[in-house]
Amino acid sequence: MSMFRLAKAAENVLLPSIKYSRSLSVTLQKEPEQPCIKTSVPGPKTQQLLKELNAMQQASSVQLFADYDKSYGNYFVDVDGNVFLDAFTQISSVPLGYNHPELLKAFDDEHNLKALVNRPALGVFPGADWPDKLRSILLPVAPMGMTHVSTMMCGSCSNENAYKAVFMWYRTKQRGEKLDFTPEEMSSCMVNKAPGSPDLAILSFEGSFHGRTFGALSTTRSKPIHKLDCPAFDWPVAPFPRYKYPLNENACENHLEDKRCLEKVADIIQRRRDGGRPVAGVLVEPIQSEGGDHEASPEFFQCLQQICKQSGVAFIVDEVQTGCGPTGKMWCHEHFQLTSPPDIVTFSKKMLTGGYFSLPEFRPAQGYRVFNTWMGDPGKLILLERVLKVIMQENLLATVGCTGLKLKEGLHQLENEFPNHINSVRGRGTFLAYNAPTTELRDKINNNLKKKGVLGGICGENAIRLRPALIFQPKHAEIYLDALRKTLKDL
Ligand code: PSZ
């Protein structure tokens, strides 16, 4: 049975009857029982190291220096010896918690160690087992129907290269039978002018985050500080739904909100085409993350895909943050019951390697066009293979579902108890968020949680998000909810 089918089977397990396998209980045996804060946060050692680092670079984003020897499972230990329950996990990029025994063992194997040490330029000199690695590790978890995969270094670079594949696909369609580039195209691209560098666009959404490299940054729309002072492509932006909560009491209004946004997308695509500057691809996060954890309905995504199909525009789904299980499915867009796969799905973070899956028509006709030195890293695939094995063996997608239900229920209870402090609880699996009425209050809640030993993330103007590892259990949910209740009581 393929890994994908096994993962599907795991989702169907009745949630309350989950039996944790022996290996999971072994994994968690060495975990601390609870958070333990011994110093001010940040403590004196973090403050000293921050001074040192800041002398060499702008380091004001650094929150804590970690002790990665001592961090374990769901617990992050800082250099001052403070122990935090980690519900943020390195911006949502740690699938199995810290120092998972299966991952620590990966490079005991000499073949694996040599793959790590002798890092190849994968586009030119891959090792003999590279095709098998892609076929046996990545393709089994590919979204249904997606047969092509390219590995990359990070989320931004996965998106950048996905856009390039989309532009090449679009121009190939425009050229029709005439396959060769014209001399005019060849000379004009060397001075960044059309027709060689055509005026094609990627449409993205208000509040989206797709990375910070140049192409990716032009599609990022979450905060000015990411974009200021950097030249950008003149690419279009459409509104993404902003729902009213609770969802079941605002269904009608939220449906109209979907409609408003979709009409705008269709209108932009039409106008751009009429103006001779067509949209080649529409890019969307299944849940807008950095921008404030904004979700949209399955119907919104179904219609968006239809609009793309009807207008000959590629439908690109950015699963960099949502991919690899945190919503209770391997890929968040599986919740949307799309009638056919997206054209491209990008990934990174919990997948450990960056990359994108695509339909075969997005493979450029010539080599060297989507290319760079490393094009990924076999060492990361060795780790990913183990991550995926543990996800299946330990039934972690079902754990995410079970823990997620408990967390969401607890958060709903807290929003009812403290309606002046938190509201709009939302999300899927453990990929959850809630709002505070103001940015100031949101920051205060998040800081006070940290002082109580719980690391959480913030996003958008006033949201707090949860991004725990896939091994976050109901007992960890209880610790999180207790800390939040105390924090809200003390405000
Ligand atoms: O501030 C930052 O640079 C952050 S904070 C969180 C992210 C980046 N997330 C990265 C991300 C993402 O969430 C989505 C949906 N798409 C692309 C990216 C870019 O990935 P990296 O950071 O690996 O380049």
Side-chain angles (χ1 to χ4, degrees):
M1 200 190 294
S2 78
M3 220 178 256
F4 182 80
R5 300 238 163 69
L6 277 172
K8 284 250 161 246
E11 279 165 29
N12 295 332
V13 169
L14 266 185
L15 296 180
S17 67
I18 289 173
K19 287 208 181 64
Y20 299 119
S21 72
R22 201 179 51 84
S23 53
L24 180 60
S25 42
V26 169
T27 309
L28 294 179
Q29 253 170 23
K30 277 167 55 185
E31 263 199 343
E33 282 292 298
Q34 57 192 18
C36 174
I37 300 301
K38 301 172 182 163
T39 71
S40 58
V41 179
K45 285 189 183 157
T46 276
Q47 290 186 38
Q48 176 54 37
L49 288 165
L50 195 49
K51 261 193 211 149
E52 286 179 34
L53 186 62
N54 218 22
M56 297 178 277
Q57 57 176 234
Q58 164 50 269
S60 58
S61 59
V62 171
Q63 293 188 32
L64 294 169
F65 280 84
D67 185 335
Y68 288 116
D69 291 329
K70 299 215 177 93
S71 298
Y72 197 82
N74 292 287
Y75 287 88
F76 170 101
V77 179
D78 77 2
V79 283
D80 290 284
N82 297 307
V83 178
F84 298 86
L85 178 68
D86 195 351
F88 193 40
T89 59
Q90 315 291 328
I91 327 183
S92 197
S93 66
V94 182
L96 303 181
Y98 298 102
N99 288 312
H100 193 286
E102 277 300 316
L103 303 190
L104 290 179
K105 278 191 298 203
F107 298 104
D108 290 350
D109 176 302
E110 201 175 318
H111 176 71
N112 288 353
L113 185 62
K114 286 181 175 163
L116 189 69
V117 169
N118 301 295
R119 185 177 186 178
L122 280 166
V124 208
F125 303 110
D129 59 357
W130 187 238
D132 183 55
K133 277 207 159 31
L134 295 185
R135 199 169 40 233
S136 66
I137 301 170
L138 279 170
L139 284 190
V141 294
M144 206 75 89
M146 304 193 85
T147 52
H148 273 59
V149 65
S150 296
T151 53
M152 295 289 159
M153 296 309 308
C154 65
S156 302
C157 138
S158 305
N159 283 335
E160 292 271 348
N161 284 288
Y163 308 167
K164 282 177 61 180
V166 163
F167 293 137
M168 291 168 195
W169 163 81
Y170 198 86
R171 288 291 291 139
T172 303
K173 278 198 308 176
Q174 284 184 328
R175 280 191 198 98
E177 301 292 296
K178 199 172 63 52
L179 274 179
D180 282 345
F181 305 113
T182 63
E184 196 194 356
E185 283 176 323
M186 307 246 255
S187 57
S188 58
C189 77
M190 297 310 291
V191 289
N192 299 351
K193 296 272 190 312
S197 302
D199 202 352
L200 297 174
I202 300 289
L203 179 150
S204 62
F205 289 90
E206 285 167 13
S208 61
F209 187 96
H210 300 289
R212 293 176 184 253
T213 51
F214 269 89
L217 191 59
S218 284
T219 55
T220 284
R221 314 280 187 173
S222 47
K223 284 191 192 137
I225 195 71
H226 299 151
K227 295 169 74 76
L228 284 162
D229 299 335
C230 297
F233 288 112
D234 178 18
W235 288 350
V237 58
F240 190 80
R242 294 289 182 263
Y243 289 158
K244 290 223 165 99
Y245 290 86
L247 289 179
N248 57 4
E249 286 172 26
N250 295 282
C252 204
E253 211 170 317
N254 291 339
H255 175 69
L256 289 176
E257 175 65 352
D258 280 355
K259 202 160 163 270
R260 176 183 79 89
C261 298
L262 290 164
E263 280 172 3
K264 194 77 195 163
V265 172
D267 183 54
I268 291 170
I269 291 175
Q270 181 68 48
R271 277 167 193 267
R272 279 263 171 169
R273 180 182 300 145
D274 294 347
R277 312 170 63 208
V279 171
V282 165
L283 170 72
V284 71
E285 292 159 88
I287 297 174
Q288 274 193 347
S289 306
E290 294 315 298
D293 266 34
H294 300 293
E295 53 191 3
S297 66
E299 294 74 33
F300 172 82
F301 286 98
Q302 290 160 14
C303 293
L304 186 63
Q305 186 182 30
Q306 275 322 105
I307 292 173
C308 290
K309 271 190 201 293
Q310 281 158 12
S311 5
V313 167
F315 179 53
I316 315 164
V317 180
D318 178 343
E319 292 256 21
V320 167
Q321 192 152 162
T322 46
C324 200
T327 68
K329 291 188 187 280
M330 184 67 197
W331 304 106
C332 183
H333 76 266
E334 289 170 38
H335 289 283
F336 304 153
Q337 292 120 35
L338 300 175
T339 49
S340 58
D343 293 304
I344 297 199
V345 172
T346 61
F347 56 82
S348 191
K349 294 209 190 246
K350 286 188 176 62
M351 289 291 282
L352 305 184
T353 172
Y356 65 86
F357 295 111
S358 64
L359 298 185
E361 51 267 39
F362 289 85
R363 160 205 188 100
Q366 305 85 356
Y368 271 118
R369 298 197 74 193
V370 170
F371 180 87
N372 79 337
T373 307
W374 283 328
M375 296 189 76
D377 178 352
K380 297 297 178 195
L381 245 70
I382 288 166
L383 293 173
L384 177 64
E385 180 172 29
R386 286 168 181 252
V387 166
L388 295 171
K389 200 172 98 194
V390 172
I391 288 178
M392 271 195 311
Q393 283 178 345
E394 301 185 357
N395 219 357
L396 290 184
L397 294 185
T399 301
V400 166
C402 181
T403 307
L405 276 183
K406 184 169 177 85
L407 268 173
K408 202 172 189 187
E409 237 175 62
L411 290 173
H412 278 311
Q413 219 170 321
L414 288 174
E415 73 175 338
N416 289 333
E417 265 177 64
F418 301 94
N420 296 329
H421 298 334
I422 64 166
N423 62 73
S424 305
V425 170
R426 59 195 179 276
R428 296 178 185 278
T430 55
F431 200 102
L432 300 172
Y434 47 93
N435 288 352
T438 62
T439 309
E440 293 70 34
L441 194 59
R442 183 274 308 271
D443 291 346
K444 192 167 175 188
I445 294 172
N446 198 48
N447 276 330
N448 289 356
L449 269 174
K450 197 194 286 179
K451 287 180 189 153
K452 289 186 170 31
V454 172
L455 293 180
I458 57 174
C459 57
E461 249 169 54
N462 55 357
I464 295 186
R465 60 179 151 164
L466 284 88
R467 295 290 187 272
L470 307 174
I471 57 165
F472 207 73
Q473 310 287 315
K475 72 172 184 187
H476 302 109
E478 262 169 44
I479 295 172
Y480 182 94
L481 292 166
D482 279 354
L484 181 57
R485 168 169 280 111
K486 285 187 191 126
T487 300
L488 297 174
K489 258 192 189 154
D490 293 349
L491 281 176

